[in-house]
Amino acid sequence: SEDQHRVMNDFQLSAEELKKRIQICKQKLKQEVKSRIMPGLDDKCITAWNAMMCSAYAQAYLAFGNENYKRIAIKSLQFILRKLKTKQGSLKRSYKNGEAKIDAFLDDYAFVIKACMDVYLLAKDESYLQEAKRLSEYCLSHFKNDATVLLFYTSSKAEALAARTSEIADNVTPSSNSQMAMNLFLLGHYFENKLWIERAEAMLQIVLEDMLQYGSAYSNWACLALCFTQPFKQVAIVGKTVDELLLPLYQHGLTNTMFAVSTQSSDLPLLKNRFSDSQTLVYVCENNTCKLPVKTFDEALVQLA
């Protein structure tokens, strides 16, 4: 290069001599680096972040039908529930070198609960939905604030802090309280728990005034607000070929809609007494009232319009 030729001319060196000098300098620099304290490497696994990635893969599978996304979503959630959940039913915050540490915060629970609901759809396994319910009950018990319906960021079983606060502003990720409110809203519909739906609405009411002043800091709360202010529909798909109807309906980009699915008989309120061995049916419901079941994507889309 031009710089190399300039150095060779200035110091009267051949190309081979310059190459040797550079190698000597590199070796000296490497030796000097070894004498310094290496910076710490933050390579721990964070529960909340991995749960969000799990949800992303689950939603990507539903959107694109890529089986690898489905495999990653299920495997990552299984890892969280196997390695970061304690025998007492609580979660840990981080994982590294085979060890789970630190009591989980509210965002860890909130996003794991969401991941459970997302993976339930693609795995057709209601145990994930039951796990979401159990973790939500844990949060309501151990993160409760007797002065408000909002939840504390830290657990009552965690190390005592000078002050316990509640996180409500949505930033680069949804706030722990907004995600918990959304979780309670959806689980309230899955299990016909009216108290959880009412609590989600009460949590939303607390931030409405601030939302009007600074909307960008309450984007996830706004998604919940749409569920209360616009028609909210539940779509139950039951039968042995659920994905043949679930995937095209999901890919249609439906808003204010939740799905309940099963490839066998189920006791979930939205699915109970609706399974058939001979056909896959779609039930479109709103305000606890369901329309007649249909068999095709086009028929379901007409009912959802």
Side-chain angles (χ1 to χ4, degrees):
S1 69
E2 184 177 338
D3 290 337
Q4 286 179 322
H5 286 298
R6 187 184 306 115
V7 172
M8 290 165 59
N9 291 332
D10 290 346
F11 294 94
Q12 298 297 303
L13 298 172
S14 66
E16 186 63 28
E17 289 173 328
L18 177 61
K19 185 176 180 180
K20 289 181 179 179
R21 295 272 185 110
I22 291 174
Q23 288 300 320
I24 292 172
C25 290
K26 286 183 176 180
Q27 289 301 320
K28 288 183 177 181
L29 287 172
K30 288 181 180 179
Q31 289 301 317
E32 181 62 24
V33 167
K34 289 180 180 179
S35 68
R36 299 185 177 187
I37 298 175
M38 295 295 290
L41 181 62
D42 188 359
D43 59 352
K44 61 183 177 294
C45 300
I46 302 295
T47 302
W49 297 356
N50 278 274
M52 283 189 282
M53 184 57 72
C54 174
S55 287
Y57 271 107
Q59 292 169 20
Y61 164 73
L62 293 171
F64 302 108
N66 186 317
E67 289 291 332
N68 190 45
Y69 295 162
K70 177 179 179 179
R71 180 186 62 80
I72 293 172
I74 295 175
K75 188 175 180 180
S76 61
L77 181 58
Q78 289 175 341
F79 176 88
I80 291 172
L81 297 178
R82 187 174 66 252
K83 298 292 187 180
L84 288 154
K85 183 183 173 186
T86 69
K87 293 180 180 179
Q88 293 72 36
S90 61
L91 296 175
K92 290 295 184 180
R93 171 70 170 179
S94 65
Y95 184 86
K96 182 177 178 179
N97 296 331
E99 184 178 3
K101 295 182 177 181
I102 307 173
D103 291 323
F105 301 119
L106 185 60
D107 60 339
D108 297 303
Y109 285 91
F111 292 122
V112 170
I113 291 167
K114 183 181 187 303
C116 286
M117 287 190 285
D118 289 334
V119 171
Y120 149 71
L121 287 180
L122 53 90
K124 320 298 182 295
D125 185 345
E126 286 180 20
S127 68
Y128 291 119
L129 208 54
Q130 295 292 341
E131 185 63 34
K133 181 183 177 185
R134 284 192 292 269
L135 289 173
S136 296
E137 291 170 340
Y138 185 93
C139 288
L140 293 176
S141 176
H142 296 288
F143 290 82
K144 67 178 180 179
N145 181 343
D146 292 332
T148 175
V149 291
L150 295 176
L151 300 171
F152 282 126
Y153 186 66
T154 54
S155 168
S156 58
K157 291 192 172 184
E159 182 181 353
L161 300 176
R164 294 177 74 193
T165 60
S166 296
E167 180 195 37
I168 60 172
D170 298 323
N171 204 309
V172 291
T173 62
S175 68
S176 52
N177 267 286
S178 72
Q179 189 56 56
M180 276 305 303
M182 180 65 81
N183 292 343
L184 292 172
F185 175 81
L186 294 173
L187 289 169
H189 281 88
Y190 275 124
F191 294 99
E192 283 191 351
N193 188 330
K194 186 178 179 182
L195 291 178
W196 282 13
I197 298 173
E198 290 175 349
R199 178 157 189 160
E201 186 174 13
M203 293 170 76
L204 175 62
Q205 288 289 341
I206 292 177
V207 303
L208 279 181
E209 186 175 343
D210 290 336
M211 186 194 302
L212 294 173
Q213 300 297 321
Y214 191 31
S216 62
Y218 298 90
S219 54
N220 200 45
W221 288 107
C223 292
L224 178 60
L226 287 174
C227 294
F228 282 108
T229 58
Q230 301 297 317
F232 183 78
K233 297 180 180 180
Q234 303 89 46
V235 179
I237 307 176
V238 288
K240 295 184 177 180
T241 55
V242 167
D243 274 0
E244 290 183 7
L245 289 167
L246 172 63
L247 296 186
L249 283 171
Y250 188 94
Q251 291 162 10
H252 195 71
L254 300 171
T255 57
N256 276 35
T257 304
M258 63 175 283
F259 292 93
V261 298
S262 183
T263 56
Q264 58 187 353
S265 181
S266 170
D267 287 328
L268 276 179
L270 282 169
L271 305 174
K272 194 171 183 177
N273 299 324
R274 288 176 172 168
F275 176 77
S276 171
D277 280 318
S278 60
Q279 57 189 340
T280 298
L281 299 172
V282 180
Y283 293 82
V284 175
C285 311
E286 184 180 346
N287 295 327
N288 298 318
T289 302
C290 297
K291 299 179 181 179
L292 291 174
V294 295
K295 301 178 183 179
T296 68
F297 164 78
D298 290 333
E299 290 173 316
L301 208 56
V302 169
Q303 291 189 350
L304 284 161

